Amino acid sequence: PNNTVNTGDTLCFSTIITVPGNDANAFNNTSSICIPVVNSHDPNEKTVSPKGLTAQGFIPASTQYLEYTIHFQNTGSAMSYNIAVIDTLDANIIPGSLQIIGTSHNMTPSWQSNKVVRFDFNNIYLADSTSNEAASHGVFSFRVKLNSGLTPLTQIKNNSNLTVMYEVF
């Protein structure tokens, strides 16, 4: 399509076949179909701001902080009692600069090493999405400061892993 399409929009396609000579049935030379636009979505998503420009994600050289937001959801079939998110920061980030901006549930950060921080959501009691979709989501945001004087085209990488811990009664 020439225009932006969104989830839920409908796209329609038509096909016309031109047959040279005598066509035995000229009424079956066209076909049309309309289909809804759908997408898949991983409920565990991490975003960064500034997002960056172009496919390479270039950010202005004047950028001092990166702000990360991590969304998570319990898509299992039982309540999650404790959740841990382990985040590995890039070497070009100042670890002591980490600041929590906001969180949907009580959370405690702890450093595992100089570049690895663990965010613990103890006693979160996050509902599963099949029994209570609205209560199955969580989110938190933090920001970190970049080292000064980075050279152009320096890559800043960040990796997070989510661990769900269930209590057995």
Side-chain angles (χ1 to χ4, degrees), residues 65-66 68 87 89 93-101 107-111 115-119 140-146 158:
Y65 290 90
L66 294 177
Y68 291 99
D87 196 276
L89 300 170
I93 291 175
I94 302 169
S97 68
L98 185 133
Q99 298 173 330
I100 305 301
I101 296 171
M107 179 262 294
T108 304
S110 61
W111 289 97
K115 298 293 180 186
V116 178
V117 62
R118 177 179 168 137
F119 302 94
F140 69 101
S141 297
F142 65 94
R143 78 178 195 159
V144 289
K145 188 171 185 176
L146 293 171
N158 188 278

Side-chain angles (χ1 to χ4, degrees), residues 55-117:
Q56 290 82 15
F58 295 125
I59 59 173
S62 61
T63 302
Q64 293 184 353
Y65 290 90
L66 294 177
E67 182 177 314
Y68 291 99
T69 300
I70 298 176
H71 300 264
F72 54 93
Q73 182 182 21
N74 177 8
T75 59
S77 58
M79 181 176 288
S80 295
Y81 293 92
N82 299 303
I83 294 175
V85 176
I86 299 177
D87 196 276
T88 304
L89 300 170
D90 191 86
N92 291 303
I93 291 175
I94 302 169
S97 68
L98 185 133
Q99 298 173 330
I100 305 301
I101 296 171
T103 180
S104 60
H105 298 79
N106 289 332
M107 179 262 294
T108 304
S110 61
W111 289 97
Q112 306 297 293
S113 72
N114 190 35
K115 298 293 180 186
V116 178
V117 62

Side-chain angles (χ1 to χ4, degrees), residues 18-40:
T18 305
V19 179
N22 293 335
D23 189 352
N25 183 357
F27 295 105
N28 68 355
N29 293 348
T30 62
S31 177
S32 296
I33 185 172
C34 292
I35 56 173
V37 175
V38 296
N39 69 343
S40 60

